[in-house]
């Protein structure tokens, strides 16, 4: 009687790594979360053919803050310091945006 080879357990596979160039992004507040929408493309040729991928990342405000801090540190930049309005400014009418 011939012996059947034992079935191999399916080995977990790692998700495919995605590499692309960021073309733009937007965000929308969702209460305690942020929907970060990123547009990217894999090549100039793909961009020329209007092949732009769109990704949605749902993140907490804390995750967004940590990502912002990481990107600022990675680029060596800092947020501009807010200038405290003068005492007299409080007596002037508010400007319309």
């Amino acid at each position: 009687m011939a012996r059947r080879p034992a079935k191999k357990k399916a080995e977990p596979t790692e998700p495919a790594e995605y590499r692309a160039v960021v073309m733009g992004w937007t965000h929308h507040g969702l209460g305690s979360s942020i929907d970060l929408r990123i547009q990217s493309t894999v090549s100039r040729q793909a961009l020329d053919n209007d092949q732009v991928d769109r990704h949605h990342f749902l993140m907490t405000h804390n995750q967004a803050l940590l990502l912002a801090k990481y990107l600022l540190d990675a680029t060596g930049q800092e947020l501009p310091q807010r200038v405290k309005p003068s005492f007299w400014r409080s007596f002037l009418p508010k400007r319309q945006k």
Side-chain angles (χ1 to χ4, degrees), residues 53-68:
D53 298 317
R54 289 164 182 83
H55 308 275
H56 290 259
F57 297 94
L58 186 63
M59 50 192 354
T60 65
H61 287 199
N62 193 49
Q63 288 172 318
L65 179 64
L66 290 172
L67 177 59

Side-chain angles (χ1 to χ4, degrees), residues 14-67:
E14 292 187 29
E17 191 168 307
Y18 182 79
R19 294 178 187 254
V21 176
V22 173
M23 304 305 300
W25 65 86
T26 61
H27 68 279
H28 297 281
L30 298 173
S32 64
S33 301
I34 294 174
D35 177 20
L36 177 62
R37 301 171 184 189
I38 297 179
Q39 295 176 317
S40 65
T41 189
V42 294
S43 67
R44 179 64 187 195
Q45 183 179 5
L47 179 61
D48 291 343
N49 292 324
D50 293 326
Q51 295 174 333
V52 176
D53 298 317
R54 289 164 182 83
H55 308 275
H56 290 259
F57 297 94
L58 186 63
M59 50 192 354
T60 65
H61 287 199
N62 193 49
Q63 288 172 318
L65 179 64
L66 290 172
L67 177 59

